[in-house]
Each structure stands twice: as C-alpha cells, then as structure tokens.
Amino acid sequence: MKILLATHWLVPHVGGVWNFMQQLGQRLELLGHEVDMLGNSPDYSKIHIVNKGISLSKEALLPMFEAKLNAQAATDESALCDQTL
C-alpha cells in the first residue's frame, strides 16, 4: 500500500512530530508499505517530500488543488441534490 505521512510542520524538524513520522514510516515500511513523508519548508513557500528529496512550490500546486477540490465539491453537491429528490 502507498501511504503518505503529512504534516503542516517544517520537515525535517527537531521534535515529536518528526520523530513520530520517522518511526511510523519505518514500521510501515517493515510491513511492506511504500511510505512518503511530506511537510513544509522553513519559509513555508514549498512542500517537501523528504524521503524522495523533492521540493514543490506552493504557488504551482495551489491551482491544481483548487481545481481538484472544486470538481469534487461539484460532484458532492450533485449527488446530494439527487438524494433529496
């Protein structure tokens, strides 16, 4: 199974959240899962996928997220209307 461990905190980070993510990720990998760890950059302008060494600009990602969320909201609203009829 592919699993994403995500936090809004900076990563890597000294403290409980990062330690917990690392421990949980290691345990899940021992069970055969593929685990990615995602968090913020120090200036909060990028998202890091730490274990893959990838940084993505939030400015580039936000339009994609908004489009996906808007499409999902329209689908949910349509399903809700169908249920009430």
Side-chain angles (χ1 to χ4, degrees), residues 21-81:
M21 285 178 67
Q22 286 183 303
Q23 291 172 11
L24 182 58
Q26 290 168 355
R27 294 290 178 130
L28 290 167
E29 286 173 342
L30 287 173
L31 293 171
H33 301 291
E34 182 181 333
V35 180
D36 288 330
M37 291 183 270
L38 180 140
N40 272 300
S41 65
D43 65 357
Y44 289 94
S45 67
K46 296 179 184 174
I47 295 290
H48 292 295
I49 302 175
V50 179
N51 56 311
K52 295 205 174 173
I54 298 173
S55 292
L56 305 166
S57 167
K58 287 184 181 180
E59 287 183 15
L61 292 172
L62 286 176
M64 289 186 289
F65 288 145
E66 288 173 353
K68 180 70 174 173
L69 290 172
N70 289 338
Q72 184 62 48
T75 300
D76 292 346
E77 185 176 310
S78 176
L80 182 60
C81 288

